[in-house]
Amino acid sequence: MASSIEHRTINVNGINIHVAIKGPENAPVILFIHGFPQLWYSWRHQIEALSSLGYRAVAPDLRGYGDTDAPAEVTSYTVLHVVGDLIGLLDVVAPNQESVFVVGHDWGALIAWHLSLFRPDRVKALVNLSVLFNPRNPSRKVVATLKAVYGDDYYIIRFQEPGEIEAEFAEIGTEKVLKEFLTYRTPAPLFIPKGQGFNGKPLDTPIVLPSWLSEEDVKYYTSKYEQKGFTGGLNYYRNLDRNWELTAPWTGAQVKVPVKFIVGDQDLTYNSLGAKDYIAKGGFKRDVPFLQDLVVMEGVGHFINEEKPEEI
């Protein structure tokens, strides 16, 4: 399927970014932004479908992932760095388009929210999957708040100490770790207790792949993570507090681009961090005033663009 996709390496913002591109040269661009632990590859279905409809699909590996450079410093993975990468990328791949369509999932959604906050002039419209806009709370740093609510075994807390979770993942094995993540569909917060599997299940519990994820897909992800390791992706989590500090100027700012939002009702993000309350009590609509559509898909988990490619 992916054979006719063009792969390029583009030097922007001081790093080499690998990007998958398909579609007519001067067609309207759709920028696809992946999450953790994924790659451009998670958009393979959408790239095919939307390029066939006359769009130019552009899906990079974000910094730290896949065939894109992974700077060594933890501090090189803030939202300002990543949004800067994307602006630089758009300047190269869509030089004549003032603004483009943007689609984000998971961390890619979080990056897309910030792209829309920092540079709304570059975003024609946004479709975000899985991760809601998370308005900055000026009185509460992110990591301490998460720790207070969910404790030390909460996955984001477990990711904080550089090298620690990487060593555990190395023991479990790259392929097994990726299968654990990609098949996770418990509608609740994720905990990774030390020396145990996800949510405390035994490490030797067999993993059955769902119909939407093939062994071939897993092999592709595994080959890239075996080359690159998990550190780049984990460094995004290690900048949550730094992002909180850097984005102080945008406290109270609204996302003022047209938005559609899609989430699965089995998604861990929809079932934690007060997400349902934020939607139900009008917070989401307040912070994202041009929200046009909010779709909650029944019986669908976190990796929604791979699980339900046709619907997305």
Side-chain angles (χ1 to χ4, degrees):
M1 178 198 236
S3 58
S4 58
I5 294 172
E6 180 195 350
H7 293 271
R8 287 165 63 185
T9 300
I10 298 173
N11 186 276
V12 293
N13 204 21
I15 64 169
N16 291 307
I17 294 180
H18 163 252
V19 59
I21 301 176
K22 187 169 183 181
E25 188 73 46
N26 293 311
V29 163
I30 305 175
L31 174 67
F32 291 96
I33 316 175
H34 70 80
F36 177 86
Q38 290 164 300
L39 302 162
W40 75 269
Y41 187 83
S42 64
W43 298 111
R44 60 198 177 279
H45 307 294
Q46 288 78 22
I47 290 169
E48 295 294 340
L50 287 151
S51 63
S52 75
L53 295 174
Y55 292 95
R56 189 160 172 81
V58 174
D61 284 334
L62 295 180
R63 66 165 56 207
Y65 286 94
D67 294 320
T68 291
D69 286 353
E73 304 78 22
V74 173
T75 53
S76 296
Y77 292 83
T78 71
V79 287
L80 291 174
H81 287 91
V82 185
V83 170
D85 295 345
L86 297 176
I87 292 294
L89 183 66
L90 291 176
D91 288 345
V92 174
V93 300
N96 305 316
Q97 296 184 34
E98 192 179 306
S99 59
V100 302
F101 295 105
V102 179
V103 182
H105 171 257
D106 184 73
W107 258 101
L110 195 143
I111 297 299
W113 291 124
H114 284 92
L115 172 61
S116 303
L117 262 190
F118 302 158
R119 293 301 302 273
D121 57 308
R122 302 301 294 269
V123 181
K124 198 173 286 185
L126 169 63
V127 177
N128 255 349
L129 313 177
S130 178
V131 173
L132 288 158
F133 180 64
N134 189 14
R136 182 181 184 276
N137 183 333
S139 60
R140 287 216 302 263
K141 278 197 167 183
V142 182
V143 176
T145 304
L146 291 173
K147 193 171 182 170
V149 175
Y150 293 123
D152 290 339
D153 286 342
Y154 184 55
Y155 76 107
I156 292 175
I157 304 305
R158 295 280 281 115
F159 289 175
Q160 291 304 311
E161 187 54 46
E164 201 172 280
I165 198 79
E166 287 96 325
E168 291 181 40
F169 285 172
E171 271 184 50
I172 297 168
T174 304
E175 184 176 315
K176 179 87 193 269
V177 169
L178 287 165
K179 283 182 174 178
E180 284 273 19
F181 276 115
L182 294 170
T183 61
Y184 185 85
R185 54 182 300 124
T186 305
L190 169 59
F191 298 95
I192 308 179
K194 202 171 173 57
Q196 298 174 43
F198 285 20
N199 286 345
K201 70 181 183 192
L203 279 171
D204 56 2
T205 308
I207 295 173
V208 179
L209 294 186
S211 59
W212 55 266
L213 187 69
S214 69
E215 287 290 349
E216 189 189 354
D217 297 332
V218 173
K219 276 188 173 53
Y220 181 82
Y221 282 123
T222 303
S223 71
K224 296 303 176 186
Y225 277 92
E226 280 180 343
Q227 288 167 27
K228 192 70 104 205
F230 288 97
T231 299
L234 293 166
N235 282 343
Y236 286 64
Y237 294 92
R238 291 166 184 156
N239 279 283
L240 286 168
D241 280 349
R242 195 168 285 108
N243 290 336
W244 179 86
E245 292 170 10
L246 291 170
T247 56
W250 289 272
T251 302
Q254 294 171 309
V255 173
K256 291 197 167 173
V257 302
V259 172
K260 296 191 177 191
F261 183 75
I262 312 170
V263 67
D265 68 351
Q266 301 300 298
D267 193 323
L268 74 162
T269 64
Y270 183 61
N271 291 280
S272 56
L273 303 173
K276 289 177 183 172
D277 250 15
Y278 178 54
I279 292 169
K281 293 180 177 171
F284 190 32
K285 184 69 179 162
R286 177 197 66 224
D287 296 329
V288 185
F290 304 130
L291 179 68
Q292 295 181 359
D293 239 343
L294 193 158
V295 179
V296 180
M297 291 175 67
E298 285 183 29
V300 183
H302 179 67
F303 298 100
I304 189 166
N305 47 321
E306 293 186 87
E307 184 178 341
K308 293 289 180 187
E310 295 296 321
E311 292 84 345
I312 294 299

